[in-house]
Amino acid sequence: MKRIVILISGRGSNMEAIVKACAAEQWPARIAAVVSNRPEAKGLEFAAAHGIATAVVDHKQHTSREAFDAELARAIDAHAPDLVVLAGFMRILTPGFVEHYAGRMINIHPSLLPAFPGLHTHRRAIELGCKLAGATVHYVTAELDHGPIVVQAAVPVLPGDAEATLSQRVLVQEHRIYPMAVRWIVSDALDSRDGVIVHRGGEAQLVVG
Ligand code: GAR
């Protein structure tokens, strides 16, 4: 059984999708803990209600990124995770923290990376007249919102779209691709070939919504 620790900062809908899929599809894995940097994160309630251990490491209680990341790593490592899943975890991580979880930490970002790293991805896509938007699950490396891509979902940007409508359309696809990516990893379905992540069985690593 692989052990998964999920990090959230807020709503936690991607975490919810992963928790539900893990149970429904009987993955060879369990969600060992959900950790938040915000005590008020809504997702903590869902996790606790599902019998999952929760912890809060409040970034506001720490004077430096290094001190926060050290405390966060202690909270995570208490659960000896095989995989750390960033699910709407809105903190920039120190290089030491990223290195500690190299090859076993993934993130979901609401854009078709490498386009639009950082914040306000949907607003920026609309402002630039993009016709395609989406989300990316990737391994975490020291560079923000970069790293080997596990799976992407693409959706159209429709005439009249606002940030709210586009983000909702993308979020539906996030809830498809994030559980899929975690399932692939815990069932050892992925290979890295020259730094590119490939599904050994040839499953499509692109979802078109
Ligand atoms: C998701 O859209 C996720 O892609 C995004 O935050 C949202 C969290 O929603 N993540 C980032 O922007 C990370 N750079 P959730 O808490 O309901 O899963």
Side-chain angles (χ1 to χ4, degrees):
M1 283 292 245
K2 297 270 171 61
R3 301 168 60 83
I4 301 169
V5 171
I6 305 179
L7 271 54
I8 63 169
S9 294
R11 180 177 55 186
S13 70
N14 277 290
M15 175 271 297
E16 246 185 83
I18 291 166
V19 167
K20 287 178 180 165
C22 182
E25 298 168 5
Q26 301 187 328
W27 297 351
R30 59 182 284 263
I31 313 302
V34 171
V35 181
S36 172
N37 65 310
R38 291 183 186 278
E40 70 278 14
K42 284 293 287 174
L44 290 170
E45 293 164 26
F46 173 90
H50 284 73
I52 299 167
T54 61
V56 173
V57 181
D58 188 346
H59 63 280
K60 294 195 190 110
Q61 305 291 325
H62 295 82
T63 48
S64 70
R65 282 195 192 279
E66 285 72 18
F68 168 71
D69 278 5
E71 186 61 29
L72 181 62
R74 267 193 292 279
I76 296 169
D77 290 348
H79 299 278
D82 299 285
L83 182 65
V84 176
V85 173
L86 307 183
F89 188 67
M90 305 305 278
R91 298 289 304 169
I92 291 175
L93 301 165
T94 57
F97 183 92
V98 171
E99 177 60 31
H100 180 64
Y101 297 106
R104 56 185 176 122
M105 181 159 66
I106 57 173
N107 179 45
I108 189 158
H109 184 73
S111 78
L112 291 171
L113 291 174
F116 304 121
L119 297 174
H120 311 302
T121 53
H122 304 306
R123 188 195 308 167
R124 287 151 68 202
I126 291 168
E127 281 171 2
L128 286 171
C130 292
K131 309 302 176 225
L132 202 59
T136 304
V137 178
H138 64 97
Y139 277 94
V140 176
T141 58
E143 196 178 345
L144 180 69
D145 298 327
H146 274 72
I149 290 170
V150 176
V151 58
Q152 291 188 306
V155 302
V157 181
L158 299 177
D161 255 343
E163 202 175 349
T165 52
L166 180 56
S167 68
Q168 182 51 37
R169 188 175 312 119
V170 172
L171 191 65
V172 169
Q173 301 307 319
E174 292 187 41
H175 296 165
R176 288 175 71 187
I177 63 170
Y178 216 2
M180 188 187 293
V182 176
R183 174 170 55 83
W184 286 344
I185 292 168
V186 296
S187 49
D188 289 324
L190 301 178
D191 257 347
S192 174
R193 294 184 198 148
D194 299 325
V196 173
I197 306 293
V198 180
H199 189 283
R200 286 202 196 107
E203 273 193 49
Q205 289 167 262
L206 168 66
V207 166
V208 180

